[in-house]
Amino acid sequence: MRLALEEARKAADAGEVPIGAVVVKGEKVIVAAHNSPRTDHDPTAHAEIAAIRAAAKALGQERLEGCDLWVTLEPCAMCAGAISHARIARLYYAASDPKGGAVEHGAKVFDHSQCLHAPEVYSGMGEDEAADMLRGFFRERR
Amino acid sequence: MRLALEEARKAADAGEVPIGAVVVKGEKVIVAAHNSPRTDHDPTAHAEIAAIRAAAKALGQERLEGCDLWVTLEPCAMCAGAISHARIARLYYAASDPKGGAVEHGAKVFDHSQCLHAPEVYSGMGEDEAADMLRGFFRERR
């Protein structure tokens, strides 16, 4: 999660909402990525999507079986869906997101029969730091 | 929808699940795209995501305000989330998808307060042709 938080800081430095994500397989970091929709002109360029796409490309396969995803904020519906399609084994997220999350909030993407693969979900590690970074970012912009 | 169905056929020809999508602004087609996760080694490469990413790139902007998305199958949670993030004005889909859809089924992504933008939704046009193509594709593979 340390690495995901560093990625979130890079997003903030680039004027993007500070969210970072890392894909890990066993002990090995496959990729680290951050939120970049503004920079990339890409509404899908959330940290999780960027990390999943890059990891699948790096491994040369459509699915990330046996890989874990670490991310600094509870995934939205788009990212939860992508995590499911990618067959991520374990999802670790830092801060929960009552306003936009879709794991423990709202759409609860993993909790429906239409979701063909649900990862194990763990949350809370690094929560304070991740949430502080987001609060600081939005405070500055007000 | 004619164009989206043609894209779906291209996906089938490439050995991908036959789903096609088109982004339109007013009378102008911005992009047409099809499902390609296997070919691209990218679990996020659904037709809708491909079309949204390409349209945002083509227009040089993060959001697709005033654009409509036509797609041959009810979007999944990932794609519904992306449609919301992209601020798509109107969503038109052909066949509904009780097994994987997240608009009228399962997660119902647009129906939660965490969804900050919901498009107008219209469905059913081209339904038979889209569903026949999907059924034919899966029948051949069995």
Side-chain angles (χ1 to χ4, degrees), chain A residues 62-82:
Chain A
E62 185 198 348
R63 290 173 179 171
L64 300 174
E65 271 122 357
C67 292
D68 303 332
L69 182 81
W70 294 76
V71 57
T72 57
L73 188 68
E74 179 186 349
C76 71
M78 174 178 76
C79 293

Side-chain angles (χ1 to χ4, degrees), chain A residues 48-49 52 62-65 67 69 75-91 102-103 108-121, chain B residues 43-44 46 76-78 99-100:
Chain A
E48 300 94 314
I49 300 280
I52 286 171
E62 185 198 348
R63 290 173 179 171
L64 300 174
E65 271 122 357
C67 292
L69 182 81
C76 71
M78 174 178 76
C79 293
I83 286 164
S84 173
H85 293 315
R87 305 293 192 271
I88 291 287
R90 278 168 292 266
L91 165 64
V103 175
K108 295 186 177 178
V109 167
F110 302 135
D111 295 358
H112 304 275
S113 63
Q114 285 79 5
C115 175
L116 301 181
H117 166 84
E120 292 173 34
V121 178
Chain B
T44 74
H46 284 193
C76 72
M78 175 179 75
K99 286 187 189 165

Side-chain angles (χ1 to χ4, degrees), chain B residues 37-104:
Chain B
R38 286 169 203 176
T39 314
D40 293 350
H41 297 146
D42 180 355
T44 74
H46 284 193
E48 301 94 313
I49 300 280
I52 287 171
R53 297 185 75 224
K57 205 131 281 183
L59 298 174
Q61 54 195 50
E62 184 198 349
R63 290 175 179 171
L64 300 175
E65 271 122 357
C67 291
D68 303 333
L69 182 82
W70 295 74
V71 58
T72 57
L73 188 68
E74 179 186 349
C76 72
M78 175 179 75
C79 293
I83 286 164
S84 173
H85 293 315
R87 305 291 192 270
I88 291 288
R90 277 169 293 266
L91 165 65
Y92 300 87
Y93 62 85
S96 77
D97 183 9
K99 286 187 189 165
V103 175
E104 56 178 300

Side-chain angles (χ1 to χ4, degrees), chain A residues 36-49:
Chain A
S36 62
R38 287 170 201 173
T39 313
D40 293 350
H41 297 146
D42 180 354
T44 74
H46 284 194
E48 300 94 314
I49 300 280

Side-chain angles (χ1 to χ4, degrees), chain A:
Chain A
M1 191 58 84
R2 186 74 13 229
L3 195 51
L5 288 162
E6 280 171 29
E7 282 292 322
R9 215 157 282 122
K10 285 188 204 166
D13 291 346
E16 301 274 4
V17 177
I19 303 169
V22 177
V23 172
V24 173
K25 188 165 192 174
E27 299 287 295
K28 194 171 149 48
V29 171
I30 308 293
V31 293
H34 59 263
N35 199 42
S36 62
R38 287 170 201 173
T39 313
D40 293 350
H41 297 146
D42 180 354
T44 74
H46 284 194
E48 300 94 314
I49 300 280
I52 286 171
R53 297 184 75 226
K57 205 131 281 182
L59 297 175
Q61 56 196 49
E62 185 198 348
R63 290 173 179 171
L64 300 174
E65 271 122 357
C67 292
D68 303 332
L69 182 81
W70 294 76
V71 57
T72 57
L73 188 68
E74 179 186 349
C76 71
M78 174 178 76
C79 293
I83 286 164
S84 173
H85 293 315
R87 305 293 192 271
I88 291 287
R90 278 168 292 266
L91 165 64
Y92 300 88
Y93 62 85
S96 77
D97 183 9
K99 287 188 187 163
V103 175
E104 55 177 303
H105 296 97
K108 295 186 177 178
V109 167
F110 302 135
D111 295 358
H112 304 275
S113 63
Q114 285 79 5
C115 175
L116 301 181
H117 166 84
E120 292 173 34
V121 178
Y122 305 92
S123 62
M125 59 295 287
E127 184 174 2
D128 291 346
E129 192 174 341
D132 283 352
M133 220 188 297
L134 283 159
R135 267 192 298 267
F137 179 83
F138 286 113
R139 198 165 40 225
E140 267 181 32
R141 250 126 247 269
R142 250 186 237 123

